[in-house]
Amino acid sequence: RPNTTPTPGRPGGALGPCPDGPPNLLGSLYVEFRTNRTLQDVRNLVGPFLQQGGRYRPSSCVARQKVAVIIPFRNRYEHLTHWLHYVHPVLMRQQLDYGVYVINQDGDGAFNRAKLMNIGFVEALIEYDYDCFVFSDVDLVPIDDRNLYRCSDHPRHLSVAVDKFNFILPYATIFGGVSALSKQQFLKVNGFSNTFWGWGGEDDDMSQRISYRRMFISRPDSVTGRYKMIQHERDSHNDPNPRRVQKLTETYFNIIKDGLSTLSYTVREIRKDLLYTLVTVDNHRSG
Ligand code: UDH
Ligand code: NGS
């Protein structure tokens, strides 16, 4: 019988590939946000397994994918602390070779979630040869670790059953919250639009880019795809964008002229915490 288990001690010292199904998953998880947590608490808990910048790779096998987790961010450290506390251990159990990139919008101009995610894609690739990109809101924590943070044959929507929507997908084409695209898939759609300032629509624009480029949205089932959202009020400088619905009628014509190909920004600072890489950027409102 062929030996299919990955063996650390292969001839020449080379590690075997990790199994397709990670063996140490727990399934459904208990998650709560009442406990006060500090970044130092989380460093003490998961830090010993990480490299600076929130980097990890399994020690016993070669990960199947190199995954950059990109979080669009401004002024949400309390949420980030919960996220790091819960999600690092999940990603470790999933045996990913991964890094966490928090893309922090500098200043108090209108927030631009999608542009920050484009910036995360570019900045992560400068650092390492990632082949998969998971884009995650900072307030969404998976409550089932079988929801693998990796890429598939088609762009994948991971946050399909969120508690705030009573664990039901609100509409069929939704692509917000947490999503995963391979490098190839992301390049094929020219990334996200850079021109959605304020709340709403940027994820629907991506959903349309995906279908215009003849791809589909793949999803886990609604048990595996469960999430808890950290409750919060609307942030300042992120009011609903009054142009968002009109803009969605223009996606088809804008794919090639608005996205990675036209991305313009200035990196203000890159700081390595043990738990994440913080990239603070000026995202050029005129761009
Ligand atoms: N984000 C920040 N800082 C901001 C705005 C947004 O970090 O100031 C990021 C963060 O990752 C967040 C994501 O962008 O998870 C999406 O923004 P959001 O949480 O504002 O979007 P959501 O649709 O909430 O979750 C909209 C406001 C709902 C108000 C409900 C009041 N009861
Ligand atoms: C849609 C928004 C999306 C948003 C989704 C869920 O209406 O950007 O609601 O939002 N599209 C438009 O506004 C065009 S949520 O309830 O999670 O805040 O992701």
Side-chain angles (χ1 to χ4, degrees):
R1 179 174 167 278
N3 179 3
T4 51
T5 49
T7 40
R10 289 202 163 188
L15 296 176
C18 295
D20 190 38
N24 299 319
L25 298 181
L26 303 172
S28 123
L29 309 171
Y30 178 68
V31 169
E32 55 77 23
F33 306 121
R34 288 179 307 275
T35 303
N36 280 317
R37 306 186 161 95
T38 65
L39 279 172
Q40 194 51 45
D41 295 336
V42 185
R43 287 186 199 108
N44 294 341
L45 187 76
V46 299
F49 307 100
L50 291 171
Q51 308 288 320
Q52 282 298 322
R55 297 287 298 272
Y56 175 85
R57 62 157 65 113
S59 57
S60 63
C61 53
V62 177
R64 294 193 164 242
Q65 294 191 10
K66 300 189 285 275
V67 182
V69 183
I70 313 280
I71 302 180
F73 184 83
R74 185 168 63 191
N75 191 27
R76 295 268 198 106
Y77 277 100
E78 191 189 325
H79 295 185
L80 181 62
T81 306
H82 290 303
W83 190 95
L84 294 163
H85 170 87
Y86 282 116
V87 184
H88 267 306
V90 169
L91 301 176
M92 290 175 189
R93 286 197 296 277
Q94 295 184 354
Q95 298 188 313
L96 304 168
D97 176 359
Y98 74 89
V100 173
Y101 295 83
V102 176
I103 315 300
N104 179 33
Q105 182 172 325
D106 201 15
D108 58 6
F111 195 70
N112 189 328
R113 176 178 178 270
K115 188 167 182 182
L116 291 171
M117 297 194 288
N118 280 344
I119 296 170
F121 174 86
V122 172
E123 290 297 316
L125 277 177
I126 291 173
E127 214 178 76
Y128 190 52
D129 182 26
Y130 291 106
D131 43 42
C132 173
F133 297 80
V134 173
F135 301 97
S136 176
D137 282 0
V138 73
D139 52 11
L140 282 171
V141 171
I143 54 178
D144 193 311
D145 66 3
R146 290 169 293 189
N147 192 2
L148 301 178
Y149 275 45
R150 62 187 193 195
C151 290
S152 322
D153 293 350
H154 284 272
R156 194 160 167 88
H157 181 232
L158 300 181
S159 52
V160 308
V162 182
D163 60 351
K164 96 156 174 179
F165 298 127
N166 296 318
F167 301 107
I168 290 167
L169 195 71
Y171 56 98
T173 57
I174 194 167
F175 201 64
V178 187
S179 58
L181 292 96
S182 68
K183 181 178 174 183
Q184 231 184 345
Q185 290 160 359
F186 200 69
L187 292 173
K188 198 164 174 178
V189 295
N190 195 22
F192 286 94
S193 164
N194 299 310
T195 59
F196 282 79
W197 299 91
W199 182 88
E202 80 296 342
D203 50 341
D204 300 317
D205 180 85
M206 173 54 92
S207 184
Q208 297 191 138
R209 287 176 182 234
I210 290 166
S211 77
Y212 290 139
R213 287 291 177 266
R214 298 182 185 284
M215 295 185 285
F216 299 95
I217 293 175
S218 119
R219 290 197 176 90
D221 66 69
S222 61
V223 172
T224 309
R226 284 183 162 232
Y227 277 78
K228 262 199 174 173
M229 203 195 89
I230 309 171
Q231 304 268 345
H232 62 91
E233 294 306 315
R234 187 174 293 286
D235 306 86
S236 40
H237 313 290
N238 196 24
D239 288 329
N241 172 3
R243 300 196 52 236
R244 67 192 190 282
V245 174
Q246 169 64 28
K247 281 181 68 60
L248 289 175
T249 66
E250 299 158 8
T251 303
Y252 184 81
F253 308 99
N254 287 341
I255 297 180
I256 56 169
K257 53 184 194 213
D258 171 17
L260 284 175
S261 61
T262 53
L263 181 61
S264 140
Y265 63 98
T266 307
V267 173
R268 291 275 176 244
E269 187 189 6
I270 299 182
R271 203 164 57 75
K272 294 275 174 195
D273 190 281
L274 184 53
L275 301 171
Y276 57 94
T277 298
L278 183 72
V279 183
T280 299
V281 297
D282 170 349
N283 67 3
H284 296 184
R285 169 81 218 230
S286 58

